[in-house]
Amino acid sequence: MGTYAGVDLGATHIRAIIGDESGTPISSYKTETPRGPNGIAVTEAVLDALREACAAADVEPTDVVAAGIGSFGPLDLAEGIVENPANLPDTIDRIPLTGPVEKLLGTSKVYLHNDANAGAIGERFYADRNPDDMIYLTISSGVGAGVVVDGNVLSGWDGNAGEVGHLTIDPHGFMTCGCGHDGHWEAYCSGENIPRYATRLHREDPVETALPLDTEGFSAADVFEYAGEDDFASHVLEQVCHWNAIGVANMVHSYAPLVIYVGGAVAMNNPEQVLDPIRDRLDDMVMSNIPDIQLTNLGDDVGVRGALASALTDGTGDPAKGV
Ligand SMILES: [Zn+2]
């Protein structure tokens, strides 16, 4: 029986799993992502996670037939590396992934994806109807998507297809995005930016509110908690939902998906508050077929399960290409 590996390299954790030919996990291992001293330390931690997962499954690394890797970006797919990640300290400039993993496992079948694409591959592979046209949308510390059209996972020449968090949704550019440009979706709706947006809105119109705007730990969770009871918090959430619906409607018109799976901490922690308003608004915004909007089936494991699914399907998530 063949064994396959998936790795999820996230800003806080590295997850590795070993699975069988059906994509059922046999073992898993989770460790913290090193914050330094350099990129090689992160590479070593990825290799260690794979070794640990193999040991727990009682297989040798060289028994692994193929592996998928889902990672934060930016990626250089041709080189098989992460280059200057924004969410780790500056001393981490270059994280080699594909080459060292190929060497450890003794196979050239190693597939590298950005984390949103890995999510799309996982949702596609493990979904009941394995849709050929679908999107995995993540709303977490950032906003991004993995897009499958006509059975192909879109990557773009440089691997940056699906960077929907940087769609311009507000032509007035009220908020500036972490990328430096104004009016991008992520600048209003990511977990990092919802509290910034609330603070900014309040500065424009300093109404009475119970939201702890000036407290150090003020977070997106506060906005979701107070919405419905506090008028200003409700207004902030209403605006966030408005921008989310615009972003989703733009994706629907661009890609014609049958289903959009939504993951990421902001959506998973507040599924009704995030998803219902998007569903409610699409009717008024979309001229074509309206897709199902569903919460991810795979929870926190969507990245690592997607990486395993990639290993099983030559990087596609298409079960027809499975082993
Ligand atoms: Zn941006």
Side-chain angles (χ1 to χ4, degrees):
M1 189 190 70
T3 49
Y4 295 79
V7 181
D8 175 32
L9 172 55
T12 55
H13 290 98
I14 297 168
R15 293 178 166 88
I17 54 175
I18 301 298
D20 65 16
E21 290 169 351
S22 70
T24 305
I26 302 166
S27 70
S28 65
Y29 183 78
K30 180 179 171 183
T31 186
E32 287 187 4
T33 305
R35 309 287 299 172
N38 51 31
I40 300 297
V42 181
T43 303
E44 290 293 345
V46 166
L47 299 179
D48 277 343
L50 275 167
R51 287 189 194 100
E52 294 286 346
C54 284
D58 205 16
V59 297
E60 294 295 324
T62 47
D63 294 336
V64 172
V65 178
I69 308 169
S71 173
F72 53 73
L75 302 180
D76 183 332
L77 288 177
E79 295 284 321
I81 62 170
V82 178
E83 191 90 81
N84 296 316
N87 49 14
L88 288 177
D90 285 347
T91 54
I92 297 181
D93 50 356
R94 179 186 165 94
I95 306 170
L97 290 171
T98 309
V101 170
E102 285 180 353
K103 201 164 171 207
L104 174 72
L105 304 180
T107 174
S108 59
K109 296 179 79 172
V110 175
Y111 307 98
L112 176 63
H113 310 275
N114 74 40
D115 36 21
N117 277 356
I121 288 168
E123 293 292 352
R124 185 182 186 202
F125 182 82
Y126 290 103
D128 292 337
R129 52 184 177 161
N130 311 123
D132 279 348
D133 297 281
M134 54 149 293
I135 292 173
Y136 171 70
L137 170 68
T138 172
I139 308 177
S140 60
S141 53
V143 174
V147 180
V148 181
V149 175
D150 299 338
N152 300 304
V153 184
L154 302 189
S155 142
W157 73 271
D158 59 355
N160 287 317
E163 284 284 5
V164 297
H166 305 278
L167 286 172
T168 302
I169 43 127
D170 173 16
H172 299 295
F174 182 72
M175 294 295 289
T176 300
C177 187
C179 75
H181 298 294
D182 295 335
H184 288 181
W185 184 0
E186 176 172 308
Y188 301 73
C189 298
S190 73
E192 301 276 309
N193 286 325
I194 288 171
R196 285 183 57 230
Y197 182 38
T199 305
R200 182 75 205 287
L201 283 171
H202 194 259
R203 210 186 309 148
E204 299 280 315
D205 184 14
V207 294
E208 192 83 14
T209 178
L211 270 185
L213 291 167
D214 297 320
T215 317
E216 191 169 342
F218 174 54
S219 70
D222 295 318
V223 174
F224 285 100
E225 188 188 329
Y226 283 82
E229 292 161 20
D230 179 86
D231 285 348
F232 177 71
S234 301
H235 170 65
V236 173
L237 184 58
E238 167 79 16
Q239 288 300 112
V240 167
C241 293
H242 170 69
W243 303 124
N244 277 340
I246 290 177
V248 170
N250 287 345
M251 291 196 305
V252 172
H253 288 132
S254 300
Y255 303 121
L258 275 168
V259 53
I260 299 178
Y261 294 100
V262 188
V266 173
M268 284 195 293
N269 293 337
N270 315 281
E272 288 92 24
Q273 283 168 295
V274 172
L275 299 191
D276 286 346
I278 296 174
R279 293 183 183 114
D280 292 345
R281 286 158 207 238
L282 284 185
D283 258 346
D284 289 333
M285 304 173 79
V286 170
M287 54 67 73
S288 48
N289 290 305
I290 294 180
D292 284 343
I293 308 289
Q294 293 185 21
L295 194 67
T296 172
N297 296 309
L298 300 172
D300 276 342
D301 288 337
V302 63
V304 72
R305 296 289 293 273
L308 176 62
S310 167
L312 284 154
T313 60
D314 292 338
T316 66
D318 180 359
K321 292 201 171 66
V323 286

